[in-house]
């Protein structure tokens, strides 16, 4: 009976399906050919969106050229939130199915997500200064995104705070799952409270209230940055899998050598 | 173009942070692959 069948018996069909992809060797084989394509695609699409937004899209009739900051600010905000949702998803898989790759992916998503949240906060400040007259206001949207940044930092610190990586991953997973409550707060903060930050221009249910000449470069930037985020996380996870394998091999070799010395002494 | 300094700073920050993560990830992957090949030369990864 192979290992997958045994896992199916222990964890149910969903768990068995997931454990098929928990094999690090299978993960490395799957991502090795896909990663360069993902990277090239994300660079091309992001560059297209940014160049289009910076040089060719029309300026906003009220905000002027400062609205071009939108093409880096909005995609980084979407990616920061989607990254946290991915972190929470990995944490869920980790807690429920003890998926080892989910632990590793969560550990690698944290710093990248924090980076994109940082970009969102800084570019928002750079947009706020000429439009609102201040780099920062304690507005509900800005504050909830700052909380997201702190949640990422807390996760980064927590998973590395334990001698046992498993305990660190479990503590980080609990924090990530608790922090999910912040995502709807960010999304609906502009509707629930009276904020300086504008309400959503693009929604899933309605048509966008944005000129199409500005919408397309924004969508290109968002798509490119999303694929870029995925490529970076997959590359870091791939490196993490190999680093774990190196640690395992070195430990096995050290144990063998120690055993050999004990045998010689006996 | 109005507010060019703010626009350039915003684009610069985004490119530097995203590019920095990308370069770091690729370098880390290359280091790990070389080290693993040196320790366990059973095949390419």
């Amino acid at each position: 009976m192979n290992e997958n069948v045994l896992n199916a018996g222990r964890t149910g069909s969903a768990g068995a399906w997931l454990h098929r992809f928990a094999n690090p060797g299978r993960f490395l084989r799957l991502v090795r050919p896909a990663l360069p394509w993902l990277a090239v695609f994300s660079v091309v699409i992001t560059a297209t969106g940014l160049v289009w937004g910076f040089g060719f899209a029309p300026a906003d009739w009220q905000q002027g050229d400062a609205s071009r900051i939108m093409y880096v600010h909005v995609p980084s905000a979407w990616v920061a939130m989607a990254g946290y949702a991915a972190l929470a998803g990995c944490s869920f898989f980790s807690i429920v199915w003890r998926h080892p790759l989910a632990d590793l992916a969560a550990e690698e998503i944290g710093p990248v997500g924090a980076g994109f949240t940082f970009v969102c906060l800084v570019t928002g400040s750079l947009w706020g200064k000429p439009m609102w007259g201040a780099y920062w206001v304690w507005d509900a949207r800005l504050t909830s995104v700052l909380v997201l940044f702190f949640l990422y930092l807390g996760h980064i610190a927590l998973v590395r705070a334990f001698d046992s990586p498993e305990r660190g991953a479990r503590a980080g997973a609990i924090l990530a799952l608790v922090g999910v409550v912040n995502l709807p707060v960010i999304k609906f903060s502009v509707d629930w409270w009276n904020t300086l930050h504008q309400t959503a221009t693009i929604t899933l249910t309605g048509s966008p209230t944005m000129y199409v000449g500005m919408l397309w470069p924004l969508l290109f930037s968002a798509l490119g940055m999303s694929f870029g985020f995925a490529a970076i996380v997959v590359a870091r996870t791939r490196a993490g899998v190999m680093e774990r394998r190196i640690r395992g091999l070195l430990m096995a070799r050290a144990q063998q050598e120690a055993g050999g010395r004990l045998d010689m002494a006996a | 173009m109005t507010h060019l300094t703010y626009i350039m700073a915003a684009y610069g920050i985004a490119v530097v942070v995203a590019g920095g993560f990308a370069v770091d990830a690729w370098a880390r992957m290359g280091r790990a692959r070389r080290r693993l090949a040196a320790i366990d030369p059973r095949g390419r990864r």
Side-chain angles (χ1 to χ4, degrees), chain A residues 92-137:
Chain A
F92 182 75
F93 288 143
S94 166
I95 284 183
V96 176
W97 288 293
R98 302 292 173 111
H99 195 301
L101 262 182
D103 282 344
L104 204 54
E107 192 178 332
E108 301 301 342
I109 287 171
V112 189
F116 275 85
T117 313
F118 175 77
V119 170
C120 169
L121 288 168
V122 173
T123 55
S125 289
L126 289 165
W127 197 358
K129 179 65 179 169
M131 291 301 108
W132 301 339
Y135 284 111
W136 184 263
V137 287

Side-chain angles (χ1 to χ4, degrees), chain A residues 58-155:
Chain A
D60 184 72
W61 70 280
Q62 275 184 316
Q63 299 189 27
D65 288 311
S67 66
R68 296 182 196 282
I69 296 175
M70 167 177 73
Y71 303 108
V72 287
H73 173 69
V74 174
S76 59
W78 287 348
V79 169
M81 289 176 69
Y84 197 86
L87 175 62
C90 288
S91 301
F92 182 75
F93 288 143
S94 166
I95 284 183
V96 176
W97 288 293
R98 302 292 173 111
H99 195 301
L101 262 182
D103 282 344
L104 204 54
E107 192 178 332
E108 301 301 342
I109 287 171
V112 189
F116 275 85
T117 313
F118 175 77
V119 170
C120 169
L121 288 168
V122 173
T123 55
S125 289
L126 289 165
W127 197 358
K129 179 65 179 169
M131 291 301 108
W132 301 339
Y135 284 111
W136 184 263
V137 287
W138 290 102
D139 169 288
R141 172 58 69 83
L142 277 67
T143 308
S144 54
V145 174
L146 185 65
V147 170
L148 179 72
F149 183 59
F150 290 146
L151 281 168
Y152 271 126
L153 294 187
H155 185 268

Side-chain angles (χ1 to χ4, degrees), chain A residues 15-70:
Chain A
W17 181 81
L18 281 167
H19 273 274
R20 283 185 62 216
F21 296 98
N23 182 320
R26 183 172 285 140
F27 171 78
L28 291 178
R29 278 195 302 278
L30 274 174
V31 300
R32 195 164 66 93
L35 197 51
W37 291 103
L38 189 61
V40 170
F41 180 75
S42 66
V43 168
V44 170
I45 298 291
T46 308
T48 306
L50 292 184
V51 171
W52 192 350
F54 183 80
F56 301 99
D60 184 72
W61 70 280
Q62 275 184 316
Q63 299 189 27
D65 288 311
S67 66
R68 296 182 196 282
I69 296 175
M70 167 177 73

